[in-house]
Amino acid sequence: MTDFAADSILVMVDVMPSGEVAKSAAGLLGAASGVGTPVAVVVTTPDLLSGAAEQAASLGAHVVLTATGDTSVLSAPAVDALVAAAGLVRPDAVLVSNSIEGRDIAGRFAARTRSGLAADAIGVSRDDEGIVAHHSVYGGAYNVDSAVTFGAPVITVRQGAIDSRAEAQPLNALPLEVAPAGAPAATVESFDQVQATSTRPELRGAAKVVAGGRGLGSKEKFELVDQLADALGAAVGASRAAVDAGYVPHSYQVGQTGVSVSPQLYIALGISGAIQHRAGMQTAKTIVAINKDGDAPIFEIADFGVVGDVFTVVPQLIAALEAKKK
Amino acid sequence: MRIVVLVKEVPDTYGDRKLSLETGLADRAASESVLDEIGERALEVALSFAEKHAGTEVVVLSMAPESALATVRKGLAMGAGSAVQVVDEGLRGADMGLTAEVLAAAVKRTGFDLVIAGNQSTDGTGGVLPAMLAELLQVPHATALSSVEIGEDVVRGARASDAGTMTVSAPLPSVISITEALPDARFPNFKGIMAAKKKPFETLSLADLDVDPMDPGAARSIMIAVSEKPPREAGVKITDEGDAGEKLADFLASNRLL
């Protein structure tokens, strides 16, 4: 029988179908180590379990609770395992990634255990009464702190929001005894893994982002965004208008209903800066905008704005960047 | 088949949205209120199915203050057959747990084969409600669907998760949520607006649903602090005179952004 630290924080680690733990795990365990002792829950198929547990320990889990789960059953095995883990550990908080899968697990777990749930936190802290979740709402216009009336809060943590990392731990794995709740679940009939087709950084969590809007004019001309991104080693994003026009897939969309980014540098090309778009990028450290329309709202928040034609300014910029590299 | 569609009144994202710094609640007077677009798309999924399948009942359901009546009514004007709105002072500042309990009770009361919701509202962006609702109703969830195929006893769709795209299916009754990859919603026409006035519109209270907002058995999430971030200020703005690309490269270099 393992004794769990009184300040244990339970961390649900997403495991990808490849067996890799999701990128979000490092931030979740980092956040947990800042307010207590991280205890990870890892659920996957038997062949992938030890590898995933090993990774969770190396990312800072003092104990890794493991359970095997059928990946063709949506969410249910993970929720059942999390319920078993919470019963065993009696944690001060439960942290889950604010991913599509994580939100479902957190929602089901909170509803089943009648726990208070805080969604999309960008940080956690501890005060005299327990764990506090920090949120950035209305597109970053407000900071809000939340806590629960009693018990351990269930907190989904925004991906890429936590920079701190926990110290690697030796693997201390413990199989969970899980009593399946038998809740009806959806079936995963097939799965196509996203193929990494690009050497560019992933949009979420990228340090630099170049994004294009309707001002690019066509799918072919959107390539200008790719060219500048490659010159800077940046990820590529887009406004909703560019996505709606079919220039790029929806996964590129930055904004209210797309991906939220907080890079060091955000360059907006031909983007007018509708408030929905600004909501997803205005926490960038430095914002650069190039747009023909000098009245475009993006200029209200740009640290460096250029009123001009992207098709003349950007090629010149790329040439100047290449000259500086030499 | 009875399809319940969850809709929500939200502050229009085309304007500046305000939170009251005293209560932490949305300042409804500060901006225009609209039906959340993702909920309209969810309704579109139900309506286009109903058009092709006679005998389909589409109910819009919302938990919202009384002032949201006109917004919920838009769902009727678009084509839903009836509307249910849960209105109660005890719901002011409700967290997601209480919201899920209320909606689950209302859905149970109405009866359902399928509940369709948007994946995330534009105001709370929580994205957890469909799964919470499914748990409370003891039915499967299939969330974040970018395509939906409704069958007689099963719902199926594509789900773009972080790791890849999967096809999921769930037996009915079920709760699904959809993403904005699904088509835009129809606009209500004059005929629809006139017809909406005669459609059933039921208003329910917490007592009707037998939900206790102060239930000591459930932990609630509460806001303990709220502050406004200072607005971002504009920096340098230049007009291209043939050298803007070079000036921009210099700006990036001098700010160590290369």
Side-chain angles (χ1 to χ4, degrees):
Chain A
M1 177 80 200
T2 305
D3 280 332
F4 294 96
D7 66 351
S8 288
I9 306 291
L10 210 49
V11 173
M12 183 77 218
V13 171
D14 285 354
V15 182
M16 312 296 266
S18 60
E20 294 286 306
V21 306
K23 281 203 181 114
S24 56
L28 288 173
L29 288 160
S33 70
V35 290
T37 305
V39 176
V41 180
V42 171
V43 183
T44 185
T45 50
D47 54 319
L48 300 173
L49 204 53
S50 66
E54 193 78 55
Q55 288 178 58
S58 72
L59 293 171
H62 287 239
V63 184
V64 183
L65 301 172
T66 62
T68 56
D70 181 350
T71 47
S72 71
V73 182
L74 196 63
S75 307
V79 179
D80 291 343
L82 193 54
V83 170
L88 187 66
V89 175
R90 305 266 160 210
D92 281 352
V94 177
L95 305 187
V96 184
S97 169
N98 192 45
S99 58
I100 289 172
E101 186 57 17
R103 286 194 291 266
D104 287 348
I105 294 167
R108 284 237 174 213
F109 173 82
R112 193 177 299 175
T113 58
R114 306 199 80 188
S115 305
L117 192 159
D120 196 23
I122 56 164
V124 291
S125 62
R126 187 187 274 275
D127 70 10
D128 295 343
E129 293 177 51
I131 303 297
V132 175
H134 304 279
H135 310 260
S136 171
V137 305
Y138 279 179
Y142 293 87
N143 289 321
V144 167
D145 294 346
S146 74
V148 295
T149 48
F150 63 87
V154 181
I155 303 170
T156 72
V157 179
R158 186 180 293 181
Q159 298 178 84
I162 310 280
D163 292 328
S164 64
R165 294 291 179 262
E167 252 180 65
Q169 300 296 325
L171 177 61
N172 178 13
L174 185 70
L176 271 173
E177 273 176 47
V178 181
T187 303
V188 180
E189 294 183 342
S190 66
F191 184 80
D192 293 318
Q193 198 161 335
V194 175
Q195 296 298 330
T197 52
S198 159
T199 52
R200 286 190 201 112
E202 207 181 315
L203 182 55
R204 186 175 276 128
K208 295 176 193 167
V209 174
V210 179
R214 180 94 79 180
L216 271 301
S218 72
K219 190 174 178 170
E220 290 68 37
K221 289 183 182 166
F222 197 88
E223 205 178 301
L224 185 69
V225 180
D226 299 336
Q227 288 166 3
L228 179 56
D230 289 342
L232 287 163
V236 174
S239 69
R240 177 164 167 180
V243 171
D244 284 350
Y247 302 169
V248 284
H250 179 247
S251 58
Y252 283 56
Q253 188 175 315
V254 172
Q256 180 86 42
T257 48
V259 177
S260 284
V261 294
S262 279
Q264 294 293 312
L265 173 65
Y266 190 89
I267 303 187
L269 304 179
I271 290 176
S272 65
I275 195 155
Q276 294 92 333
H277 184 75
R278 283 153 55 188
M281 47 65 78
Q282 65 190 1
T283 53
K285 199 133 191 226
T286 300
I287 297 173
V288 170
I290 307 174
N291 200 304
K292 254 195 263 189
D293 174 9
D295 295 325
I298 192 85
F299 288 123
E300 292 164 19
I301 57 165
D303 299 287
F304 195 97
V306 176
V307 182
D309 185 346
V310 289
F311 295 104
T312 57
V313 177
V314 174
Q316 189 182 54
L317 170 62
I318 293 171
L321 293 177
E322 273 159 15
K324 281 185 195 294
K325 272 185 207 160
K326 280 173 194 159
Chain B
M1 172 162 332
R2 185 176 293 151
I3 303 177
V4 179
V5 180
L6 303 186
V7 296
K8 186 177 184 189
E9 184 181 83
V10 296
D12 194 347
T13 53
Y14 279 91
D16 276 329
R17 300 171 295 170
K18 299 264 179 221
L19 280 185
S20 159
L21 296 177
E22 263 174 49
T23 62
L25 301 176
D27 182 349
R28 287 180 183 268
S31 46
E32 290 289 311
S33 294
V34 295
L35 197 55
D36 202 357
E37 188 193 300
I38 197 72
E40 289 188 5
R41 283 181 205 254
L43 180 54
E44 181 62 40
V45 172
L47 294 175
S48 28
F49 176 81
E51 276 169 357
K52 295 185 199 93
H53 298 84
T56 309
E57 264 183 81
V58 179
V59 184
V60 289
L61 167 63
S62 193
M63 181 185 111
E66 203 171 355
S67 58
L69 190 136
T71 306
V72 178
R73 198 179 282 281
K74 185 184 178 189
L76 294 178
M78 285 169 67
S82 62
V84 178
Q85 184 178 348
V86 185
V87 182
D88 201 298
E89 267 301 304
L91 290 170
R92 190 179 284 270
D95 75 337
M96 283 168 294
L98 178 56
T99 305
E101 282 177 32
V102 166
L103 292 173
V107 167
K108 257 187 212 160
R109 189 178 186 276
T110 306
F112 72 104
D113 297 293
L114 180 63
V115 176
I116 310 182
N119 59 338
Q120 282 177 294
S121 68
T122 53
D123 56 350
T125 67
V128 292
L129 205 104
M132 296 183 99
L133 190 59
E135 177 69 25
L136 295 173
L137 295 168
Q138 282 295 297
V139 299
H141 70 258
T143 48
L145 300 183
S146 52
S147 72
V148 179
E149 190 192 311
I150 303 167
E152 210 162 283
D153 47 18
V154 68
V155 59
R156 181 174 281 109
R159 182 179 195 258
S161 79
D162 296 312
T165 304
M166 51 177 77
T167 302
V168 295
S169 69
L172 299 181
S174 213
V175 175
I176 65 168
S177 76
I178 57 120
T179 72
E180 63 173 11
L182 278 145
D184 276 331
R186 63 195 65 194
F187 287 104
N189 56 26
F190 181 70
K191 206 175 130 201
I193 293 165
M194 294 312 285
K197 292 181 180 168
K198 293 183 185 136
K199 288 179 178 172
F201 194 114
E202 191 176 23
T203 305
L204 299 175
S205 68
L206 282 172
D208 294 328
L209 294 172
D210 202 20
V211 173
D212 175 8
M214 309 301 275
D215 183 350
R220 302 296 182 202
S221 172
I222 49 171
M223 200 181 273
I224 54 173
V226 55
S227 62
E228 190 168 11
K229 266 188 227 167
R232 207 182 167 105
E233 281 174 33
V236 185
K237 183 169 149 190
I238 62 167
T239 300
D240 183 26
E241 285 167 344
D243 59 354
E246 279 154 19
K247 282 184 176 161
L248 183 47
D250 291 339
F251 169 81
L252 295 178
S254 63
N255 285 281
R256 300 176 175 276
L257 288 165
L258 295 184

